[in-house]
Amino acid sequence: MAQDIFNKVNELIEEIKASKQENLEALEQFRIKYLGTKNIIKPLFAEIRNIHNDRKKEFGQLLNILKETAENKFNSIKNEMDNTALYEKSASIDHTRPAFPIESGSRHPVSIVMNEMIEIFSRIGFTVAEDREIEDDWHNFTAMNTPADHPARDMQDTFYLKNSVSQLLRTHTSSVQARTMMETKPPIRIIAPGRVYRNETISARSHCQFHQIEGLYVDKNVSFADMKQTLLYFAREMYGKETDIRLRPSYFPFTEPSAEMDVFLGTADERSKRLTKGTGWLEVLGCGMVDPQVLENCGIDPLIYTGYAFGIGIERSAMQRFNISDIRMIFENDIRFISQFKSA
Ligand code: PHE
């Protein structure tokens, strides 16, 4: 009787070793039979108590071998199957298939032009100054020599904050000039890029928001000729090496004398003809010598220092550059429109 059960266990061991599991289902059957909760090995352990004391230990060891054999068999077959599955999976990967395209973003046309202008001026020593878009009346107008009865202060032209007569959306980045002059001593050489707001009727040509870059240079002996030379450099970097400029007398409350700068595009091609309305000259920016009163308002002695300032509208340049016919497109952020402008 005792020998029978020893034989039975040995047979089971041999049976396990010889068995073959060729698919997942067969392996699962194997697991249930030998390792599952109701496996056939478990009841054999209960037999230990029926074995004569002399052979109890031997039988116990044999059962452990049986159990281990089943476990090892299961693990090695499972491993083998996993590896095969992995191999088959990788073999079915097509390595020549193109990768999913990564959508790269694109810069906004306004940013492209603005960055280019910033770069041009930073090459000749201008640094970028930025400040708030919600300004007070003083920095936007008073410091800039724009008197209280100036039409620009009218509600028609300026967005004031609700219930406020002094908080407004800046109408130009000249407010950054004021803040910089208040905070730093000359020499000052800054450009102030940023968004500005004016209460204008929205049309294809004008919008209630747009972007500017204003420049300010204050030091001893800064002259109108210095300004002209700087702006000529800018025009040639921006519009081409041979570009000519002209300065026309103009008026701004904060500069004296004031001028507007045109660049010569010519009329040779249809596009330049259209942009310049047949004259060949395109208006690009406003500029002038900082009014002594502005320097004084901002704590700089006008007897020691002089300066020049200029202001460039960015949308207009972006529209020219990219042939955009309607300024509203710039602010709609329609992905079909803005994704066309890929920059380096
Ligand atoms: N601030 C002026 C504007 O918004 C532009 C300008 C700046 C003109 C500096 C002259 C000097 O129109």
Side-chain angles (χ1 to χ4, degrees), residues 137-154 158 171-172 174 177 181 198 212 214 249-260 286-298 309:
D137 176 81
W138 193 85
H139 288 92
N140 194 81
F141 289 129
T142 312
M144 286 293 126
N145 207 26
T146 308
D149 57 356
H150 193 279
R153 290 200 179 209
D154 200 306
T158 302
T171 60
H172 49 189
S174 303
Q177 294 185 31
M181 286 191 277
R198 287 182 201 173
Q212 285 188 326
E214 291 213 356
S250 185
Y251 172 78
F252 299 103
F254 31 84
T255 46
E256 181 58 38
S258 305
E260 257 160 293
C287 58
M289 300 305 290
V290 181
D291 193 299
Q293 186 63 50
V294 172
L295 294 175
E296 197 160 322
N297 292 345
C298 298

Side-chain angles (χ1 to χ4, degrees), residues 123 232-233 235-244:
R123 287 203 287 271
L232 177 64
Y233 163 79
R236 293 192 163 168
E237 290 296 297
M238 197 72 195
Y239 295 93
K241 291 244 170 306
E242 308 291 320
T243 305
D244 283 329

Side-chain angles (χ1 to χ4, degrees), residues 109 203-207 271 274-275 315-332 337 340-341:
S203 72
R205 302 256 92 217
S206 66
H207 209 286
R271 194 167 161 266
R274 184 168 40 81
L275 281 171
E315 275 72 7
R316 193 128 49 95
S317 294
M319 289 169 75
Q320 277 158 230
R321 164 84 67 87
F322 298 115
N323 264 326
I324 301 167
S325 56
D326 189 325
I327 193 172
R328 289 170 291 200
M329 294 170 103
I330 286 183
F331 296 102
E332 276 164 5
F337 170 72
Q340 296 175 51
F341 307 96

